Amino acid sequence: MESPGYASSTEAHPKQSSPHKSTASDYTEKTTHLRFLVSNAEAGSVIGKGGSAIAEFQSKSGARIQLSRNYECFPGTSDRIIMISGTVDDILKAVELILDKLLNEFCVEDGDNVDPRTKLRLVVPNSSCGGIIGKGGANIKSFIEDSQAGIKISPQDNNYVGLTDRLVTLTGTLEEQMRATDLILLKLSEDPYYSQSEDWSTSMTIGVADEHIGIVVGRGGRNIVDITQVSGARIKISDRGDFIPGTSERKVTISGSQKAIRVAETMILNKVSSAAEIAAVAAATESQYVATVLQMSCFG
């Protein structure tokens, strides 16, 4: 069954040959997952026409591939999240297939026959980053030396309440990125809590008419505080005059887990809907009153 908030082919298919296999064996048969970011355009390439590309990736790798929806982005970015589930070898094969396709379609060749160095941004829980770094940075130094890829872990972002993930950026050729991914994924697989952390943090933006922003915020900010506390999501409203292009709607950005976002979105839309209904009733009452007065004046 497809999880809410994900877009994917319905199920993984039996895997075919897998050229890229992990060099370690202790955890390669353990079921785990890996997440990384792609632009909206790249996500379209991964899905393919009618889902053909994602179905092929799943068939060839044996892994399950899911994408966040086009309005669900990693907080602070406009990028979507891919999650690949399966054994370590299945995941590595799927990653290689995807990156190879993106490299061919989006990387501009400079004609010098040198493999391009690109960036791959993995999404890793805060709690698992320590294992990647290691004591005194020993693990990450070893990974860099082994893979020859650049590996950088972003600092924890406190601007987004409820954000429990960090970005691990791998810079290098496809081969270097794959080796670094192999090493990092194996380290993550050793963490017993890592496999339980699949409710990723995202953000989405909805439009709310300028005249309804007040009801979302509430007197003294009471409503928005209630929504935040109940849902666990973080809510940011654009400044006056900062509208969604082509509309008079302010931007309301909701960040947090998928569950938190759904709860907050529902609460906001309910308040807006109630305000719109009240306004409609008031307008109808006023119109009826005006009509009555005009009718009485005619008989007067």
Side-chain angles (χ1 to χ4, degrees), residues 8-18 50-65 84-87 90-91 93-94 97:
S8 74
S9 185
T10 52
E11 61 180 25
H13 300 274
K15 65 182 179 181
Q16 298 176 5
S17 59
S18 178
S52 58
I54 197 171
E56 182 179 358
F57 293 151
Q58 291 189 129
S59 176
K60 288 184 175 180
S61 67
R64 177 169 171 76
I65 305 171
I84 306 178
S85 306
T87 66
D90 293 346
I91 291 171
K93 177 55 182 173
L97 289 167

Side-chain angles (χ1 to χ4, degrees), residues 42 45-46 57 95-109 114-119 172-175 177-178:
E42 290 171 335
S45 175
V46 172
F57 293 151
V95 171
E96 186 176 31
L97 289 167
I98 291 171
L99 294 185
D100 186 59
K101 186 174 194 289
L102 297 181
L103 198 62
N104 289 330
E105 294 184 6
F106 292 93
C107 187
V108 178
E109 296 183 4
V114 177
D115 290 339
R117 294 178 65 83
T118 58
K119 291 184 178 181
T173 64
L174 176 58
E175 182 178 355
Q177 289 175 341
M178 288 306 305

